[in-house]
Amino acid sequence: MGNLDLIIHVDEKDSGCTIGNLLRRKKGFSRALVRKLKRSGGIRCNGTPVFMGEKVTAGDVLVVTMPGEEPTLLEPEEIPLDIVFEDQDILAVNKPAGMLVHPVKWEQSGTLANAVLYYWREAGITGRFRPVYRLDRDTSGIVLVALSQYAAQQLAAQLEKKLLRRRYLAVVVGTPPNAGRIDLPLGLKPGHSAEWMVTPGGRPAITHYRLLGKLGNGRTGSSVPAFSLLCLELETGRTHQIRVHMSHIGHPLLGDARYGGDEKLFHRQALHAAAIDFYHPRTGVPVKLRTPVPADMRELVRLLRSRESEFRNQ
């Protein structure tokens, strides 16, 4: 996958560290990756192969060559990709609604993984498909894919430390307050394998939301129901988190029939992963990625606004 060598310049504060400690404590390498590097002999200091227990001094230059990996065993498929960002460490794709990120037992084709593997094969790349997080099938927007074990670890650590920020746009039923924080634990609904609920024994889950605009009148006796456009940010990333949280507070996503949303006007959950901010795993430079609202959601917002305008003019 291109040049995956990582170059580390040793400064005064790291002088005297062993190479193993430097990689683990300063650069965030997992123990498993350090063990792989130890077996592969993939570390040079000032051009000379070295061992993990050797110490470094200020001015040394370490070159870490990432060990090779087995590719993902999945059939590549020629499926168009909307690439938002790409370099030797990261691939960011704008996933359309209706596409799974990764195959499941009963569906092994037509997924984002199949499409990415085909794209890589055509570019002469062999590697593992590593989405940093997943989106539901019917949620559109940015999916971040790491091109190496190291990049995946760094981005996962940013998720854990809340340095990787994800923001979504959604159309919900009703009009919530202008802003809010939902801190409610989530767990599987009893007797279900893919439906979630708020439950005291669940895993912690926190969602922040901000009202961007009202899309319907919602007056008592009005034939025009109230809808709202929200910006939501995940502090945690549980399965179906936004969908369950918004449904629980009485504002399900439009089109989300599973969690109480009306699907007459829209036939999927009206949710789009529109923005992601993170620090590049190799350079530490801030990266900000954005995607436009897809055509079906734009048309939905236009329709709801036009219905509101028609009601006012009656």
Side-chain angles (χ1 to χ4, degrees):
M1 290 195 175
N3 177 20
L4 292 180
D5 286 355
L6 182 69
I7 299 173
I8 300 171
H9 295 272
V10 180
D11 55 25
E12 289 289 349
K13 70 177 184 298
D14 295 330
S15 186
C17 280
T18 66
I19 292 171
N21 281 339
L22 178 66
L23 295 181
R24 285 195 301 269
R25 298 178 184 176
K26 304 290 185 179
K27 300 301 177 182
F29 280 64
S30 69
R31 290 185 180 276
L33 183 51
V34 168
R35 284 195 297 270
K36 280 187 179 181
L37 288 167
K38 187 175 181 179
R39 289 195 298 269
S40 69
I43 303 176
R44 288 168 287 151
C45 181
N46 304 324
T48 303
V50 289
F51 298 103
M52 290 292 176
E54 294 186 34
K55 294 182 178 181
V56 293
T57 59
D60 285 345
V61 178
L62 294 180
V63 177
V64 181
T65 300
M66 300 299 169
E69 297 180 280
E70 292 296 319
T72 299
L73 297 177
L74 188 66
E75 185 65 29
E77 292 183 70
E78 187 175 3
I79 302 170
L81 288 175
D82 181 4
I83 295 175
V84 179
F85 178 89
E86 180 182 20
D87 68 8
Q88 61 188 331
D89 299 292
I90 298 165
L91 176 69
V93 178
N94 185 19
K95 184 188 82 69
M99 175 184 275
L100 285 172
V101 170
H102 202 280
V104 292
K105 185 176 181 180
W106 57 89
E107 192 168 344
Q108 292 287 308
S109 64
T111 73
L112 184 63
N114 299 100
V116 168
L117 291 175
Y118 180 88
Y119 175 74
W120 282 346
R121 187 181 72 181
E122 294 302 292
I125 294 170
T126 302
R128 296 197 65 77
F129 177 73
R130 289 189 182 85
V132 178
Y133 53 84
R134 300 190 185 191
L135 298 180
D136 296 339
R137 179 201 293 269
D138 288 332
T139 298
S140 57
I142 304 172
V143 175
L144 200 58
V145 180
L147 272 69
S148 70
Q149 187 177 351
Y150 174 74
Q153 288 175 2
Q154 297 300 301
L155 293 167
Q158 290 185 40
L159 264 177
E160 183 70 24
K161 296 174 182 175
K162 301 177 176 57
L163 297 174
L164 190 155
R165 299 179 60 200
R166 291 174 287 166
R167 292 185 294 288
Y168 294 71
L169 293 175
V171 177
V172 301
V173 178
T175 305
N178 287 340
R181 178 179 186 269
I182 307 169
D183 184 356
L184 296 168
L186 301 180
L188 277 172
K189 191 173 182 179
H192 294 260
S193 60
E195 191 165 338
W196 299 76
M197 61 182 288
V198 170
T199 175
R203 301 179 68 187
I206 300 173
T207 304
H208 301 265
Y209 72 84
R210 178 166 51 90
L211 179 65
L212 297 180
K214 299 177 183 180
L215 302 175
N217 190 284
R219 296 173 185 169
T220 302
S222 168
S223 61
V224 182
F227 301 103
S228 302
L229 179 65
L230 303 184
C231 176
L232 303 108
E233 182 165 351
L234 294 177
E235 190 170 319
T236 56
R238 309 302 178 205
T239 304
H240 296 182
Q241 178 174 316
I242 288 174
R243 299 167 63 187
V244 178
H245 271 173
M246 295 311 301
S247 176
H248 188 81
I249 67 170
H251 300 288
L253 273 62
L254 190 59
D256 190 3
R258 174 174 290 186
Y259 294 110
D262 189 343
E263 59 178 347
K264 296 186 185 72
L265 289 174
F266 205 60
H267 302 296
R268 69 172 177 97
Q269 63 261 17
L271 185 63
H272 176 66
I276 180 171
D277 299 346
F278 59 95
Y279 296 93
H280 194 281
R282 181 185 294 263
T283 65
V285 172
V287 180
K288 298 178 183 294
L289 303 179
R290 305 289 185 266
T291 53
V293 177
D296 62 347
M297 280 185 64
R298 289 200 307 271
E299 176 60 20
L300 172 66
V301 171
R302 187 202 65 77
L303 172 65
L304 295 176
R305 283 176 173 159
S306 68
R307 290 178 62 187
E308 166 70 2
S309 177
E310 289 171 7
F311 177 81
R312 285 198 305 266
N313 292 331
Q314 287 178 0

